[in-house]
Amino acid sequence: MLVTAYLAFVVLLASCLGLELSRCRAKPPGRACSNPSFLRFQLDFYQVYFLALAADWLQAPYLYKLYQHYHFLEGQIAIFYVCGLASTVLFGLVASSLVDWLGRKKSCVLFSLTYSLCCLTKLSRDYFVLLVGRVLGGLSTALLFSAFEAWYIHEHVERHDFPSEWIPVTFARVAFWNHVLAVVAGVAAEAVASWMGLGPVAPFVAAIPLLALAGSLALRNWGENYDRQRAFSRTCAGGLRCLLSDRRVLLLGIIQALFESVIFIFIFLWTPVLHPHGAPLGIIFSSFMAASLLGTSLYRIATSKRYRLQPMHLLSLAVLIVVFSLFMLTFSTSPGQESPVESFIAFLLIELACGLYFPSMSFLRRKVIPETEQAGVLNWFRVPLHLLACLGLLVLHDSDRKTGTRNMFSICSAVMVMALLAVVGLFTVVRHDAELRVPSPTGEPYAPEL
């Protein structure tokens, strides 16, 4: 397993580097890329946001292992994850309103403080303190995915008056470097926890200086901005009306809830499946992130003018890959007949599918959901998503360790088959919808149907 993990990591990393280098050589520089004021503004944003993302990723490989190191049972660890998911969805519902009221800069600094406290709780072996840490982690996650982006967009448009079409340039780079940071964070976590022998708590301690630096840079270099608040009840009501009045939005919500709830359960299960067989957790995690980056690169190639595949095609492919992978896992995790290498390959395929899924889903959401209703609709999307994930973890909490993992993968397979049926339904509804196609280089939609 050790050799397999390192070999997979090297192969995936080499594949990603090859694809990205070829893309960079073929892509001509744009006007936004050469504007000095825009580049300085981007740098101020990247310095803070990348530190925050790096601190977040650094904790991921060893979270389950830390609780196991403190001799908690799998059922107790499942409760930790349930608390984290529940707090994420609860704080996520009000995060936008909180950020608008408190101020985006202050919210980013608050993220640094709450996430640092979350990391400090990992030094305790007390169950209640660790539960509080999970709640703080949920609040921090909600702030991470609302405050930073909101601050940037407001500054980009309102203070600096840059063209709005440059916004995707920044977030395309964020998406790429986010994957790179995740790969590096996995290796760094392995280095401090295993190679240096500091134990599974070391990555959490190492994340604190990054968070402190991110908060201090935001405090020093960023200006404050606010926004007019839309009542939370109006946001939710508008989102629900949009969800129920447009079949495309409803089907997208069903697909997202089913797919991403399975991914949350996978995040919980990969460590107990692979770690007993001597898997280096940090390298495994980096391999997962490299596979996801590879999937994102393949998405860009597939939707390019050479191949002209559509996001709907790639969404369907992503769901099919996950269905196949979960069927593999139901056999590779059979009690007494475990095959960790096959399980690892299945996990890599799931991450590859995620690399195809997230840009496809993001494209379709932008085209289907009106901009004014996106916050409300996404709130409604998240509720069933996290409820399904929490339900799955609670089922694991009450199951026998020897058969529970295999049974959970079987349940997840059934859930993904339902997601596949929803994809077929969406495909039927939108196949003649030219709006949901990637535009051709001339600006016109491609002629072939979806």
Side-chain angles (χ1 to χ4, degrees):
M1 193 63 229
L2 188 70
V3 175
T4 302
Y6 279 95
L7 181 62
F9 175 62
V10 171
V11 170
L12 288 166
L13 197 59
S15 301
C16 292
L17 286 173
L19 288 176
E20 289 301 322
L21 287 174
S22 63
R23 183 178 71 90
C24 290
R25 284 196 297 266
K27 184 179 179 181
R31 181 187 164 203
C33 299
S34 59
N35 184 294
S37 298
F38 181 64
L39 292 174
R40 283 195 298 271
F41 171 60
Q42 276 188 320
L43 181 61
D44 284 342
F45 175 65
Y46 289 153
Q47 284 178 334
V48 177
Y49 195 34
F50 286 166
L51 284 169
L53 290 172
D56 183 46
W57 286 123
L58 193 59
Q59 303 170 55
Y62 277 88
L63 181 60
Y64 188 102
K65 175 59 180 174
L66 177 72
Y67 296 137
Q68 205 174 48
H69 177 72
Y70 289 158
H71 303 296
F72 291 113
L73 301 175
E74 183 170 318
Q76 294 173 305
I77 299 174
I79 296 299
F80 284 132
Y81 277 75
V82 168
C83 286
L85 287 173
S87 61
T88 298
V89 70
L90 288 175
F91 288 120
L93 292 173
V94 298
S96 296
S97 300
L98 173 65
V99 165
D100 290 341
W101 171 77
L102 183 63
R104 278 71 180 270
K105 172 182 170 180
K106 293 187 186 74
S107 298
C108 294
V109 175
L110 178 62
F111 157 82
S112 299
L113 293 173
T114 56
Y115 219 6
S116 297
L117 289 173
C118 172
C119 292
L120 286 173
T121 62
K122 302 300 190 293
L123 297 171
S124 173
R125 294 174 178 263
D126 184 84
Y127 193 78
F128 176 75
V129 172
L130 291 169
L131 281 177
V132 171
R134 291 300 289 167
V135 174
L136 288 171
L139 171 60
S140 303
T141 300
L143 292 172
L144 177 63
F145 294 109
S146 58
F148 290 87
E149 183 175 338
W151 179 88
Y152 176 84
I153 292 173
H154 186 280
E155 294 288 308
H156 181 107
V157 176
E158 301 295 335
R159 191 184 300 272
H160 295 279
D161 196 27
F162 292 128
S164 58
E165 59 266 23
W166 289 3
I167 293 176
V169 174
T170 296
F171 287 104
R173 289 176 181 167
V174 166
F176 170 74
W177 286 106
N178 187 33
H179 279 98
V180 174
L181 287 170
V183 173
V184 174
V187 177
E190 184 69 18
V192 296
S194 182
W195 300 345
M196 297 173 63
L198 299 178
V201 75
F204 300 92
V205 175
I208 295 174
L210 300 179
L211 293 166
L213 184 57
S216 62
L217 286 173
L219 199 61
R220 187 184 69 183
N221 298 335
W222 288 10
E224 184 60 277
N225 63 59
Y226 302 85
D227 199 2
R228 289 183 300 173
Q229 297 180 53
R230 186 183 183 190
F232 177 69
S233 57
R234 288 181 58 196
T235 299
C236 289
L240 185 60
R241 281 195 301 270
C242 180
L243 187 64
L244 297 178
S245 62
D246 191 334
R247 191 181 174 192
R248 300 175 305 170
V249 178
L250 181 61
L251 287 168
L252 273 180
I254 292 171
I255 295 165
Q256 179 173 333
L258 296 175
F259 187 99
E260 295 184 27
S261 62
V262 168
I263 299 305
F264 274 116
I265 294 171
F266 150 70
I267 290 170
F268 175 81
L269 285 176
W270 73 264
T271 302
V273 169
L274 297 179
H275 187 256
H277 302 280
L281 297 180
I283 300 302
I284 292 288
F285 179 81
S286 292
S287 299
F288 290 164
M289 294 301 101
S292 180
L293 178 57
L294 181 62
T296 303
S297 299
L298 291 174
Y299 171 86
R300 283 196 295 266
I301 292 171
T303 54
S304 67
K305 62 182 179 181
R306 180 177 181 182
Y307 296 100
R308 299 188 178 186
L309 289 177
Q310 300 301 324
M312 194 65 229
H313 298 139
L314 299 172
L315 179 66
S316 307
L317 177 61
V319 175
L320 276 171
I321 291 173
V322 176
V323 171
F324 172 75
S325 303
L326 290 168
F327 277 122
M328 280 181 65
L329 287 163
T330 58
F331 294 101
S332 64
T333 57
S334 297
Q337 299 178 338
E338 292 90 350
S339 177
V341 174
E342 288 182 18
S343 297
F344 179 46
I345 293 171
F347 288 149
L348 289 175
L349 287 174
I350 290 174
E351 286 290 349
L352 178 71
C354 287
L356 296 171
Y357 165 85
F358 284 106
S360 301
M361 179 60 75
S362 177
F363 176 89
L364 294 171
R365 281 201 305 254
R366 286 198 309 271
K367 295 296 185 179
V368 168
I369 305 172
E371 186 176 352
T372 56
E373 304 297 345
Q374 285 203 12
V377 171
L378 291 177
N379 282 341
W380 286 106
F381 281 6
R382 292 187 190 104
V383 172
L385 188 165
H386 288 88
L387 285 177
L388 285 170
C390 289
L391 180 61
L393 293 175
L394 289 173
V395 169
L396 268 175
H397 170 261
D398 292 328
S399 64
D400 175 38
R401 172 67 183 90
K402 293 183 178 179
T403 59
T405 300
R406 182 176 187 267
N407 292 341
M408 182 50 59
F409 283 129
S410 300
I411 294 171
C412 288
S413 299
V415 170
M416 286 308 300
V417 169
M418 294 169 60
L420 186 59
L421 294 175
V423 169
V424 173
L426 180 63
F427 194 92
T428 304
V429 171
V430 305
R431 63 179 304 177
H432 299 292
D433 195 340
E435 182 187 7
L436 300 186
R437 299 173 192 157
V438 176
S440 68
T442 60
E444 297 298 325
Y446 291 146
E449 291 183 350
L450 289 174

